[in-house]
Amino acid sequence: MIRERHLFGPGPSNPYPEATRALADPLLGHLDPEFLRIMDETCEMLREAWGTSNARTLPLSATGSAGMEAAFVNTVHPGDVVVVAVNGLFGQRMTDVAARCGAEVVAVEHEWGQPVDVDRVLAAHPSPAIIAAVHAETSTGVRSDIAALGAGKGDALLLTDAVTSIGGIELRADDWGVDIGYAGTQKCLGVAPGLAPFTINDRAFERRVETPRSWYLDLGMLGGYVGEAGLKEGGKAQRTYHHTAPTAMVASLHAGLTRILGEGLEAVWARHQAAGDALQSGLEEMGLELFAAEGHRLPDLTTVRVPEGVDSAAVRRELLDRHGIEIGAGAGAYATSVWRIGLMGHNARPDAVLLVLAALEDALGR
Ligand SMILES: *Cc1c(COP(=O)(O)O)cnc(C)c1O
């Protein structure tokens, strides 16, 4: 059943109409000059969205999790100390991925719902090779201060998950000292899932693993994939076959980014903030308790405690069946005690906020 609107990005998302339409356009071959133009422009627009001038900025052909894998498999040498800030599910996952790459993982655990404690993370080891943190923890609805980690990282590389921040909240990879970053398309970019916007600077690229254990995600080979134009300003595109680019997905991302940059990144961030603020005060007015620490709440993903005695799943089902609204269950230990309400991309609008508040009020009989 096709539902008109969904409020939680990680489920079936609500892509911008342009991005949806691009998926229905006639397919282009992956070496068609028209596609190569679209790819080059997509990489250029991704640089803007990331806030970077990194030549190596491209959409990896797989979901955000593959971005995470690419980040670690290309930069972790066996025995490297990797400090990981863990304040939710995705930070936890980073520790697993880093360990599989042979890292000596130093996990800095936080209570869920709290932001990353920058001082504790920076003090966790005297000379880590990598410091890794999630900018926007989708599992808890918390924003962390990546710029502060960048300012204190010393000689370490800073590796950042921006899956739920790109195109939704302020993100300035270069200004903040991010050396390696990965993101996803289906959260605030409002495009179907399936690509991982990725960026790595020269400093991190020079320290990369010569022969990573992953062939597909070997960044050393991807220069040929995006072409010289993707790597050198004004360079001539020289594509060598690495894998077939998912042309429809890239065209869809191109359409989504065109829309976002047309609106203006700062305007997009402000729209998300206004929607999140309105939702969060509306929930509090209903007497509900927000989960994420005050002052560190994401506008695009709100976590709220399920009231005592309320069947979390029944309310979610009612919202979906009666109103076509999808809200998420909590993550991990909070599966039935927290709801996660996304206002991402197209859904970060006042009418979506009013609708979800009214529907929730109705479902809870408040
Ligand atoms: C959704 C998400 C991921 C994983 O992305 P997939 O596209 O589902 O593979 C990683 N990190 C964060 C913070 C996310 O929200």
Side-chain angles (χ1 to χ4, degrees), residues 95-241:
T95 65
D96 188 15
V97 175
R100 289 183 191 213
C101 294
E104 186 193 311
V105 176
V106 178
V108 182
E109 300 284 346
H110 298 69
E111 197 187 320
W112 283 35
Q114 294 299 319
V116 167
D117 180 337
V118 171
D119 292 339
R120 214 150 53 79
V121 170
L122 293 179
H125 192 275
S127 55
I130 296 172
I131 297 170
V134 177
H135 183 206
E137 245 303 347
T138 325
S139 61
T140 60
V142 166
R143 177 197 325 231
S144 290
D145 189 350
I146 298 300
L149 285 174
K153 72 183 176 180
D155 188 50
L157 296 174
L158 178 59
L159 190 164
T160 302
D161 177 320
V163 176
T164 289
S165 45
I166 197 167
I169 62 173
E170 184 179 20
L171 176 62
R172 302 187 191 274
D174 286 359
D175 291 352
W176 294 354
V178 173
D179 296 288
I180 309 141
Y182 61 88
T185 43
Q186 76 275 30
K187 308 275 166 79
C188 298
L189 294 179
V191 174
L195 294 174
F198 191 89
T199 192
I200 181 168
N201 63 16
D202 289 345
R203 179 167 177 263
F205 191 73
E206 278 154 20
R207 295 189 197 177
R208 77 187 183 280
V209 177
E210 199 58 46
T211 313
R213 288 189 189 196
S214 169
W215 182 92
Y216 188 67
L217 297 173
D218 179 349
L219 295 176
M221 297 168 81
L222 288 169
Y225 170 65
V226 290
E228 288 287 304
L231 297 182
K232 272 194 234 126
E233 282 308 318
K236 206 164 169 252
Q238 287 291 329
R239 259 84 177 185
T240 50
Y241 174 70

Side-chain angles (χ1 to χ4, degrees), residues 293-311:
E294 195 175 355
H296 307 279
R297 291 173 185 149
L298 287 173
D300 49 329
L301 191 287
T302 294
T303 43
V304 56
R305 290 186 190 274
V306 178
E308 202 67 47
V310 168
D311 180 343

Side-chain angles (χ1 to χ4, degrees), residues 16 18-20 22 38-50 57-59 166-168 183-185 188-191 195-198 249-265 268:
Y16 291 130
E18 290 85 346
T20 310
I38 289 172
M39 176 65 113
D40 287 347
E41 286 181 8
T42 301
C43 294
E44 195 49 47
M45 288 191 284
L46 282 178
R47 283 184 196 97
E48 257 191 78
W50 273 107
T57 302
L58 73 160
I166 197 167
T185 43
C188 298
L189 294 179
V191 174
L195 294 174
F198 191 89
M249 288 302 308
V250 175
S252 178
L253 176 58
H254 181 278
L257 286 166
T258 301
R259 162 121 176 196
I260 287 171
L261 298 182
E263 183 179 347
L265 272 181
V268 168

